[in-house]
Amino acid sequence: MADFLVRDIDERVAERLKEIARQKGWPLNDVILHLLKQALGLAEPDPPPVPGDIARLRGAWNDEEARAFYEAMNAMSALPDDAPAYARKPGDESTPG
């Protein structure tokens, strides 16, 4: 493999490279290599999303999480009459006093 030394990198470019490295959790060298490959059309394309990814989220709660969710929903249903309209139960047409 060849090694290259790149000089006089613009400060904005350097900061953006560092930001990408932080976001991806990659070493700076890997980010630079990846971006060079992309720019040259040599990067592997990202794999397509797996069909049904969202569907796997359904039913992912354990019993304790589901119980906490239902308790929170029940607490929301017990809001006072002066709560905003969007927070009241459906069919509750009472108006704040």
Side-chain angles (χ1 to χ4, degrees):
M1 293 212 168
D3 291 330
F4 291 93
L5 172 65
V6 181
R7 296 184 180 157
D8 300 322
I9 297 174
D10 181 86
E11 188 63 33
R12 290 182 338 171
V13 173
E15 287 304 314
R16 183 65 179 124
L17 289 169
K18 291 175 190 175
E19 181 182 335
I20 292 170
R22 279 191 300 272
Q23 288 173 351
K24 292 187 175 284
W26 293 0
L28 188 56
N29 190 70
D30 289 356
V31 170
I32 294 168
L33 290 174
H34 179 74
L35 293 173
L36 282 171
K37 286 178 183 177
Q38 270 188 329
L40 297 170
L42 302 173
E44 296 289 324
D46 290 336
V50 176
D53 271 352
I54 291 291
R56 283 187 277 176
L57 294 176
R58 184 172 179 248
W61 290 349
N62 62 31
D63 290 340
E64 183 179 334
E65 293 166 326
R67 187 171 37 259
F69 173 77
Y70 287 116
E71 286 174 9
M73 292 302 295
N74 287 335
M76 291 294 289
S77 68
L79 289 173
D81 286 341
D82 62 348
Y86 62 84
R88 289 191 214 119
K89 292 185 219 177
D92 183 5
E93 303 301 327
S94 62
T95 56

